[in-house]
Amino acid sequence: MQTKMWKVDKNVDNLITYPQITEAADLLRRNEVVALPTETVYGLGGNAQSDEAVSKIFSAKGRPADNPLIIHIAHEQQLEDFIKDIPAKAKTLMERFWPGPLTLILEKKEGVLSELATAGLSTVGVRMPDHPVALALIEASGLPIAAPSANMSGRPSPTTAEHVRSDLDGRVSGILDGGPTGVGVESTVVDCTEEFPVILRPGGITEEQLQEAIGQIRTDPALSDPRKAPKAPGMKYRHYAPNAPLFLVDGSVEQIQSLIGEKQAEGKKVGVLTTEENEARYQADVVISCGRRDALATVAEALYDTLRAFNESSVDIIFGEVFPESGVGTAIMNRLSKASGSPIIMMK
């Protein structure tokens, strides 16, 4: 398959009429799959009402078919087609955070969406992305768009069109290049089907912001207990992993440096994932900063790009610093823990 790539300036007027958008929308209506930028990461979009299109998404990504997909819409009126009802707290969250990096789990109408897209569940995750290219494409297609991250399953999520090309060239019909994404980590997922909404996946909207909007909110026990099965789309399997094994270390620079020295003595090429504050303090084969510790939004924005950069360095092992689990730090640590797949090394 030849993958077409379109470059689109997200700042131009009337994007919905641009040839790149109309051509990509036509492919979606023909049940092909197209990668598109959002404010979080690039998504791999397909017609959420078509088993054929959704099957192509799973095939392109190599993603297990028991993982439900998030449905993307361009305006709230689209919800009337496939959502049974919208609870009051969900409505409040939409008014406060849409468009934006927030996915809401709602009860679906039967017989509208592909059962493959929802993994046969009675619920569906839906969001309205805060990116003009994504919104224009969805509106031009006239469809609800199922769109997991546009990467090979298990790899770091893509925050640029080049990341998508690296993973999926020849596996998808097209890639809309709308520039680098902004938030950097995926949307927060909130289950709104219970009396007190539940955070199933931390992301671009923090727990503190959600509490301010609707009051009491709970978190999925699986976020802190690896023995429990997660309920959020895309969280069931190991994700975001670089090629080399990643180990998170809760310790000082000196303690992490001692681990680096041990592995180098074994002949290993060692990488360190750190921040600007500590970058010059490490003696390792590859040291990469993913942002500033005093501004965790910069870490979230650069996290996946940093994980991918280690792949180009051919390191044998990576040690990563840990971050405070508050605000967006919760999402950062969630993604790093999924990328590692190993318990944190406690040295303090």
Side-chain angles (χ1 to χ4, degrees), residues 85-95 192 214:
D85 68 295
I86 302 174
K89 290 182 179 179
K91 185 68 174 176
T92 299
L93 292 175
M94 290 175 192
E95 293 170 351
C192 292
I214 61 171

Side-chain angles (χ1 to χ4, degrees), residues 50-327:
S50 164
D51 286 348
E52 177 187 1
V54 174
S55 293
K56 288 178 180 178
I57 292 174
F58 284 120
S59 177
K61 283 178 59 67
R63 177 181 171 120
D66 61 347
N67 252 351
L69 305 180
I70 292 172
I71 311 303
H72 293 63
I73 60 173
H75 47 79
E76 286 187 32
Q77 289 83 351
Q78 285 181 273
L79 295 175
E80 298 174 2
D81 295 333
F82 61 90
I83 294 299
K84 283 185 178 180
D85 68 295
I86 302 174
K89 290 182 179 179
K91 185 68 174 176
T92 299
L93 292 175
M94 290 175 192
E95 293 170 351
R96 181 75 176 271
F97 299 112
W98 279 9
L102 178 66
T103 294
L104 303 178
I105 304 294
L106 302 167
E107 294 286 343
K108 71 175 186 181
K109 291 180 179 177
E110 295 298 327
V112 181
L113 299 173
S114 164
E115 287 294 305
L116 296 178
T118 60
L121 300 174
S122 62
T123 56
V124 61
V126 59
R127 86 177 188 100
M128 186 188 300
D130 189 14
H131 196 291
V133 173
L135 292 173
L137 178 63
I138 297 167
E139 188 168 355
S141 73
L143 299 167
I145 300 299
S149 55
N151 58 318
M152 290 299 295
S153 187
R155 294 199 64 191
S157 298
T159 55
T160 70
E162 284 303 319
H163 291 165
V164 182
R165 190 207 293 266
S166 174
D167 277 16
L168 300 180
D169 190 24
R171 302 176 68 90
V172 300
S173 293
I175 302 169
L176 273 171
D177 182 356
T181 62
V183 177
V185 293
E186 293 87 349
S187 62
T188 303
V189 178
V190 177
D191 185 350
C192 292
T193 63
E194 301 184 25
E195 180 182 359
F196 295 109
V198 182
I199 298 173
L200 302 184
R201 180 180 75 184
I205 301 297
T206 68
E207 180 179 358
E208 293 83 354
Q209 289 174 298
L210 295 168
Q211 288 175 334
E212 183 183 349
I214 61 171
Q216 183 176 350
I217 190 165
R218 298 185 292 120
T219 57
D220 183 1
L223 293 176
S224 57
D225 186 347
R227 296 169 299 178
K228 295 183 181 295
K231 299 178 182 178
M235 294 290 284
K236 187 173 181 180
Y237 300 94
R238 186 179 179 218
H239 275 65
Y240 321 116
N243 294 338
L246 167 66
F247 294 92
L248 302 177
V249 185
D250 187 357
S252 66
V253 170
E254 291 74 20
Q255 289 169 325
I256 296 174
Q257 185 63 52
S258 70
L259 295 176
I260 295 168
E262 290 174 7
K263 292 302 176 182
Q264 287 178 323
E266 297 172 6
K268 303 287 188 182
K269 185 176 180 180
V270 183
V272 177
L273 186 155
T274 181
T275 57
E276 291 179 12
E277 291 90 339
N278 293 332
E279 187 173 8
R281 300 175 63 190
Y282 287 107
Q283 299 298 314
D285 298 280
V286 178
V287 180
I288 303 179
S289 164
C290 59
R292 301 194 312 278
R293 184 169 289 275
D294 63 357
L296 289 183
T298 65
V299 175
E301 183 177 352
L303 184 61
Y304 293 139
D305 190 55
T306 301
L307 291 174
R308 285 177 175 266
F310 280 111
N311 292 344
E312 299 172 8
S313 66
S314 300
V315 295
D316 299 307
I317 188 171
I318 305 164
F319 291 114
E321 296 178 346
V322 298
F323 297 90
E325 295 196 49
S326 61

Side-chain angles (χ1 to χ4, degrees), residues 2-9 18-28 30 32-37 42 133 137 161 165 172-179:
Q2 184 173 1
T3 299
K4 186 161 187 176
M5 199 156 183
W6 307 273
K7 197 164 185 67
V8 184
D9 182 354
Y18 269 65
Q20 303 98 314
I21 297 292
T22 57
E23 186 175 356
D26 181 62
L27 285 172
L28 290 174
R30 289 192 275 132
E32 299 297 334
V33 293
V34 173
L36 63 148
Y42 272 72
V133 173
L137 178 63
R165 190 207 293 266
V172 300
S173 293
I175 302 169
L176 273 171
D177 182 356

Side-chain angles (χ1 to χ4, degrees), residues 30-50:
R30 289 192 275 132
N31 293 330
E32 299 297 334
V33 293
V34 173
L36 63 148
T38 77
E39 80 282 21
T40 57
V41 300
Y42 272 72
L44 183 57
N47 178 2
Q49 297 174 315
S50 164

